[in-house]
Every structure is written in C-alpha cells, then in structure tokens.
Amino acid sequence: MAQADVLSNILQGLSEAQKRLPGKLLWDENGSDLFERICASVDYYPTRTEIALLTQVSAEIAPSIGSCVTIVEFGSGASRKIRTLLDALDRPARYIALDISGDYLDAAIAGLAPSYPGVHMIPVHADYTTPVHVPVDLSGTTVLGFFPGTSIGNFLPDDAKRFLERARATLGPSRFLVGADPTRDVASLMRAYGNADGLMPAFHINLLTRLNREFDADLDSDNFHHTVQVHHDPFRVEAHLVARTSAIYRLGGTAIRFRAGESILTDVSYKYSPDEFQALAREAGWYPERVWLDPQGLFSLHLLQT
C-alpha cells in the first residue's frame, strides 16, 4: 500500500468517535524487537504455552504431512517457532516466510538459514492482511500453512474470516496450522496485555514514535498512557493509548484534537474457544481436521485442510 494510502487510513481512523490506528503499524523493526522481548516475559503466557503445545503437535502431524513439504508462515516475525516444525517434518523442502517488517524478516531468515541448509528459505516482505501471492508455484506440492501465536485474534471477526479466505487462495490445496487463544481468565489477560514487565506499554507507545518519524507528526508520547480493557460478547482484550491532557497535534498536515481522557484503540485480541474458531474456519471454506488444547486451556492449535 502506498504511503499516501496508509496516511489516509490513519487519518480516517483518528477521525472516528473512537479513535483507532491500524494494528499492523505496531510492527516496525523496533516494535518487532519489543514484542520478541514481551514473548519472554513471565506475564505473557501465550508464547511459552504455545511452544510447549507446538512441540507435541508437530510430532503428531508430521507423519500425516509427509516429506518435502513447503511451509508458508504468515507473520513470521523472528522465525523462532518455525524451528519446531522444521525439526519435526521429514525433509522439508521450502520455507516461505511472510512478514510486514522487511528488515526484521531478512535478519531473521539470515539467522535461521544456516541451521537448515537443505531448506530453501524465501523471505517475502508482505502485508498478509491484504491478498498475498507467493513468488513460487505451489501447485503439485505438499503445502502446510502456518499462522502461530494469537494473531488471528487481532482481526475483527469479519476480517478474520476474510484473512482465512485469502490464505486459502494463497495456499491452494493445503493444510493450515493456526493458533488461537481461548483464555477467559481476566487476571491473566490483564497481566499479559497490560504490562508484561513494562514492555507492553512501550510496544504501544512506539506506535506514536513511528507516526512522528514516518508521517510528519508531532505527537507527544509523554501525554499518553497505555491501558487495556476486557470486553464480553464477543470476548476480547482492547489496548488503548489514553491522552492525559487535552491537546492538538498535527499529522501529515492535519490537526488531530484530543480531549483529556480520550483514547486511541491501538490493538484488539479476540479470544476464540475451539468451537468458535472451528465455526469461523468453516465459514471461510476450511475443514477442521484436528484441534489440540493445552492442559490449562490457555492455548489451542487447529489443523485445517482445504
């Protein structure tokens, strides 16, 4: 998307009654680095829970996937979780990593490639919230899509369905391993999304720094504090940046007014039970093949097929 179109989307979001910013703007190089540190936080349960579950799942699905598979990961980030799959699968042929943060992606692939000399590594700088076409022909090959973490919850439900539909078009005949978070424990959610050793506020404040750097803005990050809200029906966690005092800022030549206490919605994380996610997958044209849930019910992994 052209920078002018991105700016137009930002200004549209900031003009709404509930100001909002696209969550994908969180993922510049500094944001990606902060999130990797969040994943190691004691408070942030999803990553460690998922990795333990993924180790079990990978060993179970590898025999059914077969050899020489092409893995396509949406939002690969530091490309750490993919190691579990690459280690479990029989002679994987290709790893196509899609991520919006190009420099971060290239560095991650450069660090991963020496450990897997037999796997063709293909980094693709792409926004997976829009239609994505990979630069290789996937027809006639065994394809496994991979969308780990809680990222499916960062879409509004209708957008989550559209993402799953687009992923089906990108992958063609395939299977798709998708992570989802069913957690309903409010205390755990507040610890994970509200602080995470102080890193979560920095992750969201970094978004304002990016706007100042890339879109000629003069937002005062010290005038905003990070907070989270848990909502029901549907169950979700929202992240907000709240203005401490009234102020007028400029962004791309446009004046943006804030009242004291007014917030910007910067991210959302919908929490899907296994049944809820499977219903969503079916609506998007996928057939749920298997689901795994960790013993505490904090994380689920779904194997879908076309």
Side-chain angles (χ1 to χ4, degrees):
M1 184 180 291
Q3 195 80 337
D5 294 330
V6 176
L7 176 60
S8 177
N9 287 345
I10 291 170
L11 293 174
Q12 175 61 38
L14 292 176
S15 70
E16 296 176 6
Q18 169 59 74
K19 289 181 168 63
R20 62 178 65 236
L21 287 168
K24 59 188 171 185
L25 291 179
L26 292 163
W27 304 100
D28 64 353
E29 187 171 0
N30 190 47
S32 297
D33 179 66
L34 282 166
F35 189 72
E36 286 304 313
R37 294 165 61 194
I38 287 168
C39 289
S41 165
V42 173
D43 290 333
Y44 195 75
Y45 66 86
T47 301
R48 63 176 178 272
T49 307
E50 179 188 21
I51 288 175
L53 185 60
L54 183 60
T55 301
Q56 169 199 339
V57 167
S58 298
E60 291 184 23
I61 69 172
S64 67
I65 296 296
S67 61
C68 302
V69 65
T70 294
I71 306 170
V72 182
E73 183 175 9
F74 295 81
S76 58
S79 295
R80 289 180 181 166
K81 295 172 187 175
I82 194 63
R83 290 178 179 269
T84 304
L85 276 180
L86 291 173
D87 289 342
L89 294 170
D90 179 24
R91 291 170 292 139
R94 291 182 294 197
Y95 170 50
I96 302 172
L98 311 175
D99 202 88
I100 196 170
S101 182
D103 292 342
Y104 197 82
L105 172 64
D106 291 342
I109 294 300
L112 180 70
S115 299
Y116 302 93
V119 180
H120 184 200
M121 303 271 176
I122 306 172
V124 178
H125 181 203
D127 177 2
Y128 64 75
T129 67
T130 64
V132 175
H133 300 283
V134 297
V136 295
D137 183 8
L138 297 180
S139 62
T141 62
T142 301
V143 178
L144 175 64
F146 187 41
F147 193 44
T150 61
S151 296
I152 193 67
N154 297 136
F155 293 102
L156 298 175
D158 285 346
D159 291 335
K161 178 185 173 183
R162 280 189 283 270
F163 164 75
L164 291 171
E165 290 171 339
R166 288 193 301 267
R168 188 162 52 88
T170 297
L171 298 172
S174 60
R175 274 144 155 177
F176 196 14
L177 186 62
V178 183
D181 181 357
T183 308
R184 297 294 200 271
D185 182 71
V186 174
S188 296
L189 293 169
M190 294 298 290
R191 287 194 300 272
Y193 290 90
N195 191 25
D197 294 336
L199 294 167
M200 194 65 82
F203 177 60
H204 289 271
I205 289 292
N206 179 66
L207 199 160
L208 302 181
T209 304
R210 182 177 185 182
L211 293 183
N212 289 342
R213 182 179 67 247
E214 297 183 16
F215 297 97
D216 192 27
D218 61 358
L219 293 153
D220 178 9
S221 59
D222 290 336
N223 192 37
F224 291 86
H225 67 93
H226 168 260
T227 186
V228 295
Q229 304 169 6
V230 176
H231 295 271
H232 299 260
D233 195 28
F235 201 99
R236 66 199 186 275
V237 180
E238 292 183 355
H240 291 256
L241 291 175
V242 183
R244 302 178 191 276
T245 64
S246 59
I248 300 175
Y249 300 110
R250 301 198 70 81
L251 194 157
T254 299
I256 309 295
R257 292 172 170 80
F258 286 88
R259 303 183 306 275
E262 188 175 13
S263 75
I264 310 170
L265 175 62
T266 54
D267 202 18
V268 63
S269 183
Y270 285 82
K271 304 304 176 184
Y272 292 101
S273 71
D275 287 345
E276 288 170 338
F277 179 77
Q278 288 188 350
L280 178 68
R282 287 190 180 95
E283 289 178 10
W286 291 93
Y287 173 74
E289 183 177 342
R290 286 199 63 180
V291 59
W292 294 265
L293 188 66
D294 82 283
Q296 294 179 290
L298 296 175
F299 203 87
S300 61
L301 282 163
H302 299 259
L303 184 63
L304 312 175
Q305 62 175 291
T306 52

